[in-house]
Amino acid sequence: MARKGIFGRLLRLFVLLLVVAACGVGYLWMRTQQFADRPIEFADGEKILEVAPGDGFADVMRKLRGIGIAEGSDLEWRLLARRMKVASRLQVGEYGITSGMSPRTILQRMHDGRVIQRKFTIIEGWSFRDLRAALLADARLRHEIGALNDGEIMQRLDRKGVFPEGRFLPETYLFTRNTSDLDILRQAAVAMDKALAEAWAARAQGLPLQTPDELLTLASIVEKETGLASERPQIAGVFVRRLQIGMRLQTDPTVIYGIGSAYDGNIRRRDLETDTPYNTYTRDGLPPTPIAMPGKASLEAAVRPAPTKALYFVARGDGSSEFSDDLAAHNRAVNQYQRGAK
């Protein structure tokens, strides 16, 4: 009888413990459920949470607390992450957290890798030197090109021996924090390959261009000479007409490119008379390489130039140009717009 009494008391104690445990689990479940969907509130704007390579869930929790998210206990966050099966699957990157998001939304966003997309824009008319400087100035990128020369950069892009000027399409490229600057260049190079191929395939008949590389060079000159976007086809028409009749291009941007880093903002007569591979006053035809990064509009203008008889143009001072068919008319335009003569 004594044994039965002891057994009965133990059984009742065991059942009581089970009930207490079940109640505890139920309470935790309810509390976690309420916590999971309760909006997080804070006064500031967007918070940025960075999940770095090697971060565990404890690191992520420490960073959440560090940006001012005090809601919930660490245990509640961990239980929710386990229930969502995301605790060990949080992807590396930057995440934007705004007031009103719930813990469930935040964890799901990190699980799905819905990271902040940054933007890097290559400007039409930039030189490769300009592009390199802009990449190195962007602190959001991982810098790999700083110690490389131009040739080494092209080799890293699997373009050994290719001159870099003009080979990167001016567009806006999306990236995530810590993306390599080489990755941006790779994207831009592939984009230019595609744009150049499409322009070359759509070229008009009878153009004085033998290769896509010559098209790229002509488009870069059009890019640098155009002040008003709508005039690109006319500018292209002038240079195509000159190439067709064997007239020298005589365009200042090529001379400036040939001067390189010694250019001080002024172009002088001696600069026009000093021969370099890029001086189109002293040399016939196109320069040996592009002189800038042409955009799609300049590529399209170069393959579909305006059917013009104009051989000259001069800036009016308002961004537009005055086009002339002969030298006498051009000289009059220069006097009017450049020298202030009536």
Side-chain angles (χ1 to χ4, degrees):
M1 295 294 293
R3 285 187 177 179
K4 287 184 178 180
I6 294 172
F7 179 77
R9 286 195 296 273
L10 288 175
L11 181 60
R12 286 193 296 273
L13 178 60
F14 179 70
V15 171
L16 179 61
L17 290 173
L18 284 178
V19 170
V20 171
C23 289
V25 170
Y27 172 75
L28 281 176
W29 184 89
M30 290 180 59
R31 181 170 172 176
T32 303
Q33 187 69 21
Q34 292 172 350
F35 159 75
D37 297 310
R38 186 167 60 241
I40 290 174
E41 304 292 342
F42 46 82
D44 298 338
E46 185 180 55
K47 305 280 189 178
I48 306 298
L49 172 69
E50 183 179 1
V51 179
D55 276 355
F57 193 78
D59 300 303
V60 173
M61 279 308 309
R62 178 175 48 78
K63 290 180 178 181
L64 280 169
R65 301 308 188 196
I67 62 174
I69 295 178
E71 282 80 0
S73 66
D74 288 6
L75 177 61
E76 286 174 314
W77 280 94
R78 189 174 293 279
L79 287 174
L80 176 60
R82 285 182 179 176
R83 195 165 79 235
M84 294 174 64
K85 299 181 180 179
V86 304
S88 61
R89 300 178 182 177
L90 303 182
Q91 298 193 42
V92 170
E94 284 183 312
Y95 295 89
I97 300 175
T98 56
S99 184
M101 281 185 177
S102 68
R104 187 193 305 276
T105 300
I106 293 170
L107 289 174
Q108 191 65 51
R109 180 165 289 200
M110 287 189 281
H111 172 266
D112 295 342
R114 292 163 57 191
V115 297
I116 296 173
Q117 295 287 321
R118 305 292 186 178
K119 295 180 179 180
F120 181 85
T121 301
I122 299 177
I123 305 299
E124 295 171 339
W126 268 2
S127 67
F128 187 60
R129 182 170 57 187
D130 295 329
L131 175 53
R132 287 192 61 156
L135 287 169
L136 290 172
D138 196 321
R140 303 165 303 174
L141 291 167
R142 186 174 78 257
H143 296 133
E144 297 186 58
I145 65 172
L148 304 177
N149 62 39
D150 290 358
E152 289 169 336
I153 290 174
M154 297 306 284
Q155 186 170 354
R156 293 281 292 275
L157 297 176
D158 298 322
R159 295 163 187 265
K160 184 178 180 179
V162 177
F163 191 69
E165 199 64 78
R167 298 291 174 175
F168 305 91
L169 186 67
E171 276 189 358
T172 295
Y173 298 92
L174 299 178
F175 69 95
T176 57
R177 188 178 183 85
N178 209 37
T179 293
S180 166
D181 45 20
L182 281 171
D183 288 337
I184 299 293
L185 290 177
R186 190 171 288 107
Q187 289 183 62
V190 171
M192 179 58 86
D193 289 344
K194 181 180 178 182
L196 183 59
E198 289 175 351
W200 183 251
R203 69 190 184 281
Q205 296 295 317
L207 291 179
L209 302 172
Q210 303 303 313
T211 65
D213 283 359
E214 290 188 354
L215 162 59
L216 190 61
T217 299
L218 175 59
S220 73
I221 296 173
V222 173
E223 191 67 72
K224 294 299 290 184
E225 282 282 19
T226 301
L228 190 64
S230 61
E231 290 183 349
R232 281 190 177 96
Q234 289 174 276
I235 299 290
V238 168
F239 290 124
V240 166
R241 179 81 174 130
R242 288 187 178 188
L243 288 170
Q244 286 173 331
I245 66 174
M247 179 179 174
R248 286 178 176 170
L249 297 184
Q250 296 181 322
T251 169
D252 291 356
T254 62
V255 176
I256 293 169
Y257 190 82
I259 295 172
S261 59
Y263 179 62
D264 62 3
N266 293 311
I267 189 166
R268 303 170 179 82
R269 178 172 293 277
R270 69 172 181 268
D271 297 320
L272 302 180
E273 295 173 348
T274 301
D275 184 53
T276 75
Y278 291 89
N279 190 337
T280 52
Y281 285 85
T282 61
R283 299 200 180 195
D284 298 334
L286 292 164
T289 73
I291 60 170
M293 312 290 174
K296 287 183 179 179
S298 290
L299 288 168
E300 292 166 3
V303 295
R304 292 285 175 179
T308 179
K309 293 182 180 179
L311 288 171
Y312 304 91
F313 61 92
V314 64
R316 291 192 179 111
D318 60 358
S320 65
S321 299
E322 179 74 17
F323 294 86
S324 303
D325 293 353
D326 56 61
L327 184 57
H330 176 62
N331 286 336
R332 289 194 296 271
V334 170
N335 283 333
Q336 179 178 354
Y337 295 110
Q338 299 289 305
R339 297 169 185 161
K342 295 183 179 179

